[in-house]
């Protein structure tokens, strides 16, 4: 019997930062094993520098849809932005599974704890994130969502001591609010996940890892 050959799991960074995409590659580097789908992380170079405003979300949605239409070889798509730009649009134009990292991150957190918290890059993003939690029907299990206290960009949110200090401050606030698991509310934060979990003693979820894990599981078990 011939082994089934998977197309890649395409992880799409809808912002224009290759620094963020490289961080995604590093965070996902441990997922590969013989016979598994390859993971391909790509940057939309003409996208916004960070998906923060609703205008950024709408712009990124169309850009992401164009990429998906160009890649029928992919086995699954992961929208590597916490705002999940164009998730419904993407699912309307492909028969392949499309995973949004907010959904995946939150559902993973709920599997680990009764209450969860979220760290956002910017205060302006929080109302948009909350709308999606209401759509999922899990907003009653949110201990809180807090934004980083400083003006850190998406690209810088996962690198350096300044951004780590702000994430640690936010994580400790969420822990005090009752969060038993914390979701990183930006794909760019992935570089700080492990250290943050070790120092806080609370499970910290990288939502892109969570989404790719779901894609892997569904593909290899034939559920997709």
């Amino acid at each position: 019997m011939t082994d089934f050959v998977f197309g890649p799991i395409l992880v799409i960074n809808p912002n224009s930062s290759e620094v963020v995409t490289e961080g995604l590659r590093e965070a996902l580097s441990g997922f590969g094993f013989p016979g598994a789908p390859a993971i391909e992380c790509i940057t939309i170079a003409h996208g916004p520098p960070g998906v923060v405003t609703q205008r950024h979300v709408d712009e990124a949605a169309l850009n992401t849809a164009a990429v998906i239409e160009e890649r029928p070889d992919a086995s699954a798509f992961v929208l590597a932005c916490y705002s999940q730009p164009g998730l419904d649009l993407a699912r309307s134009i492909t028969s392949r599974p499309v995973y949004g990292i907010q959904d995946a991150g939150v559902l993973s957190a709920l599997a680990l704890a009764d209450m969860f918290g979220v760290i956002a890059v910017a205060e302006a993003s929080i109302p948009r994130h909350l709308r999606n939690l209401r759509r999922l029907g899990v907003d009653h299990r949110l201990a809180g969502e807090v934004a980083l206290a400083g003006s850190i960009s998406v690209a810088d949110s996962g690198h350096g001591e300044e951004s780590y200090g702000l994430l640690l401050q936010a994580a400790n606030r969420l822990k005090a609010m009752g969060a038993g698991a914390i979701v990183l509310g930006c794909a760019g934060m992935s570089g700080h996940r492990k250290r943050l979990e070790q120092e806080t003693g609370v499970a910290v979820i990288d939502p892109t890892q969570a989404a790719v894990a779901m894609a892997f599981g569904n593909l290899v078990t034939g559920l997709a």
Side-chain angles (χ1 to χ4, degrees):
M1 187 172 93
T2 303
D3 291 337
F4 181 78
V5 178
F6 293 105
I9 296 172
L10 192 65
V11 179
I12 305 171
N13 171 19
N15 70 53
S16 60
S17 173
E18 183 61 26
V19 171
V20 171
T21 307
E22 189 56 40
L24 297 175
R25 294 188 186 106
E26 184 175 345
L28 299 170
S29 61
F31 278 74
F33 58 89
I39 300 173
E40 182 181 347
C41 300
I42 65 168
T43 307
I44 298 182
H46 57 280
V51 179
V52 178
T53 68
Q54 189 61 49
R55 180 168 183 163
H56 291 155
V57 173
D58 293 343
E59 178 185 345
L62 296 177
N63 293 340
T64 301
V67 169
I68 289 172
E69 287 181 320
E70 294 167 359
R71 294 298 304 269
D73 60 306
S75 291
F77 300 94
V78 171
L79 306 185
C81 170
Y82 200 74
S83 292
Q84 306 183 146
L87 179 62
D88 294 328
L89 172 59
R91 288 173 175 168
S92 76
I93 61 175
T94 180
S95 60
R96 302 296 191 186
V98 183
Y99 300 87
I101 67 169
Q102 182 181 4
D103 290 358
V106 168
L107 293 174
S108 296
L110 291 176
L112 297 173
D114 179 45
M115 301 292 288
F116 71 98
V118 180
I119 302 175
V121 170
E123 195 75 36
S125 301
I126 294 178
R128 186 168 63 250
H129 298 166
L130 294 178
R131 286 197 296 271
N132 192 56
L133 292 183
R134 288 191 288 271
R135 183 177 92 158
L136 288 175
V138 298
D139 52 309
H140 62 290
R141 292 180 65 181
L142 178 70
E145 178 164 358
V146 298
L148 298 182
S151 56
I152 298 292
S153 69
V154 170
D156 291 336
S157 63
H159 307 278
E161 290 302 308
E162 181 183 2
S163 62
Y164 178 74
L166 294 175
L167 261 75
L168 181 60
Q169 180 183 22
N172 283 329
R173 282 184 60 194
L174 291 170
K175 184 177 178 180
M177 294 163 70
I182 294 171
V183 183
L184 301 178
C186 176
M189 295 176 180
S190 63
H192 289 316
R193 189 207 69 79
K194 187 174 182 179
R195 182 181 174 191
L196 197 63
E197 184 172 86
Q198 290 172 340
E199 294 202 24
T200 61
V202 175
V204 177
I205 310 298
D206 175 349
T208 306
Q209 289 179 335
V212 171
M214 288 182 181
F216 258 99
N218 287 335
L219 288 172
V220 300
T221 58
L223 296 177

